[in-house]
Amino acid sequence: MPPQDAHGVLGGFLLGSTSGSLPDWPCQRLRAPVLGESDGTWWESWLAGGPCDSGLAGGLRWRRQGDLLFGLMEVDEVTQDTAPGVSPLEQAAEQAYRQLFDLLDRQGLPHLWRVWNYLPDIHGQEAGLERYRRFNLGRARGFESAARSVVGRVPAACALGVRAGPLSVAFLAGPTPAVPIENPRQVSAFHYPQAYGPRSPTFSRAALVHPPGQEWLFISGTASIVGHETVHPGDVAAQCHETVDNLEAVIAQANARRCSVPAFCLGGLGLRAYIRHASDLGIVREVLRERCPDAPLLCVQADVCREDLLVEIEAWGSLPC
Ligand code: 3EB
């Protein structure tokens, strides 16, 4: 059953299988198997805590409570009328981000805090380029057409391959800039060399954001990358340890910039792990049980955006401030 709240739900996610109908709030549906949960279905929602405004604009569904906005844009690639030399996915990504930024401007909430990107067949080829790289081309163009920077002040994000469905982009935005956080162990993704595609991915390693009286930390999808290179190819346990080292490095950077009195720590964050091979679930859980036994963990089967990455972990936490 979709979660309900007396004051309403701002938006959220449905992961795994469902036969029922979708709720009336914007719900990002991930066609990705939930691993190790008994009925294979997982709901997550952002509670609104008060009356919401909502709307539908050019296929983008949104809901707003106070100065917090959740939106969901799903773009069917097959209905794309593409310009010459632009692939359908690239066009879909550009369109999704254009509409997203249009909405932010209309709502007077210009700051994009966190984006969740999902697409089918992420490693497939489209017009001679891997689809994830096509997505990066379209995303970067969407940022630029809305006069947003593609380096530095960019949101926290994830981008994963799922089994089916449209290009799906969900987001949270607010009235204040996010404080972007980078990882000193890694080259910033927006500065990845051309070897990873003609346009770099547009995300920061984490973002600190400040709803009234609170400080939220969004850590982007984090993987076994040091510098710009994948380390420990083929070794899921070692990739998991390296990923946790990266998460800890990002948390340390975030803590140096935080305003809350208590510090963020890994055990106090909620984790979502994307696992390429469902058969690796046991190993991933074992490493995470050893490194951060207190952190709530949801595991999902999905394709991480480099073929040699076996696992990716994202995190979210909140403190009073
Ligand atoms: C990486 O560190 C792994 O394209 O939005 C992580 C988080 C990754 C976000 C994105 C990609 C994205 O490069 C992949």
Side-chain angles (χ1 to χ4, degrees):
M1 282 286 287
Q4 297 294 333
D5 177 76
H7 296 292
V9 171
L10 192 65
F13 308 88
L14 166 59
L15 296 95
S17 52
T18 179
S19 45
S21 53
L22 289 175
D24 63 355
W25 37 266
C27 177
Q28 188 174 42
R29 174 159 182 221
L30 266 72
R31 276 118 174 141
V34 171
L35 303 176
E37 304 294 330
S38 52
D39 73 348
T41 303
W42 188 268
W43 293 93
E44 263 179 29
S45 59
W46 292 87
L47 297 182
C52 294
D53 285 334
S54 61
L56 175 66
L60 194 167
R61 291 188 66 194
W62 59 270
R63 246 167 124 85
R64 171 181 182 159
Q65 204 280 312
D67 278 347
L68 184 62
L69 177 74
F70 183 92
L72 171 65
M73 180 71 197
E74 294 185 324
V75 191
D76 247 323
E77 295 172 46
V78 287
T79 62
Q80 288 296 307
D81 214 356
T82 56
V86 179
S87 84
L89 175 62
E90 194 180 328
Q91 183 114 330
E94 178 174 350
Q95 188 198 322
Y97 277 86
R98 273 177 185 266
Q99 301 222 36
L100 181 168
F101 286 121
D102 268 1
L103 175 73
L104 267 47
D105 289 341
R106 284 198 312 277
Q107 291 288 318
L109 299 173
H111 299 288
L112 186 56
W113 288 351
R114 175 41 160 128
V115 189
W116 292 263
N117 302 286
Y118 301 96
L119 53 142
D121 192 23
I122 195 167
H123 301 305
Q125 295 283 311
E126 190 169 293
L129 196 65
E130 186 190 35
R131 279 167 51 80
Y132 174 61
R133 298 175 181 201
R134 286 276 164 214
F135 166 78
N136 279 323
L137 271 169
R139 171 169 56 177
R141 226 175 275 126
F143 271 74
E144 285 167 348
S145 66
R148 257 62 171 200
S149 172
V150 292
V151 297
R153 270 182 183 283
V154 289
C158 60
L160 282 301
V162 289
R163 295 203 167 167
L167 169 66
S168 177
V169 179
F171 57 92
L172 275 171
T176 49
V179 178
I181 307 292
E182 291 300 310
N183 179 351
R185 306 179 78 238
Q186 296 183 314
V187 173
S188 295
F190 46 79
H191 286 146
Y192 280 167
Q194 289 256 326
Y196 300 97
R199 292 300 305 264
S200 301
T202 312
F203 69 96
S204 55
R205 297 300 178 184
L208 279 172
V209 304
H210 300 96
Q214 296 174 64
E215 182 163 57
W216 292 352
L217 174 61
F218 289 105
I219 303 185
S220 295
T222 302
S224 182
I225 295 174
V226 176
H228 57 72
E229 287 173 335
T230 300
V231 293
H232 320 297
D235 182 344
V236 69
Q239 287 202 10
C240 245
H241 278 289
E242 198 72 53
T243 299
V244 175
D245 291 347
N246 279 326
L247 290 168
E248 285 175 340
V250 170
I251 292 167
Q253 294 296 302
N255 279 331
R257 310 283 313 270
R258 80 188 191 279
C259 66
S260 52
V261 174
F264 289 99
C265 65
L266 189 53
L269 303 180
L271 308 181
R272 199 190 274 185
Y274 299 100
I275 302 174
R276 180 178 297 280
H277 304 298
S279 54
D280 286 339
L281 174 66
I283 298 173
V284 171
R285 277 187 166 163
E286 196 180 302
V287 173
L288 292 175
R289 200 162 39 230
E290 175 194 332
R291 297 287 302 268
C292 45
D294 298 332
L297 171 67
L298 174 68
C299 294
V300 183
Q301 191 277 316
D303 293 332
V304 185
C305 65
R306 287 187 193 178
E307 272 178 300
D308 51 10
L309 290 173
L310 301 172
V311 61
E312 179 175 304
I313 300 172
E314 61 188 30
W316 177 80
S318 145
L319 290 172
C321 122

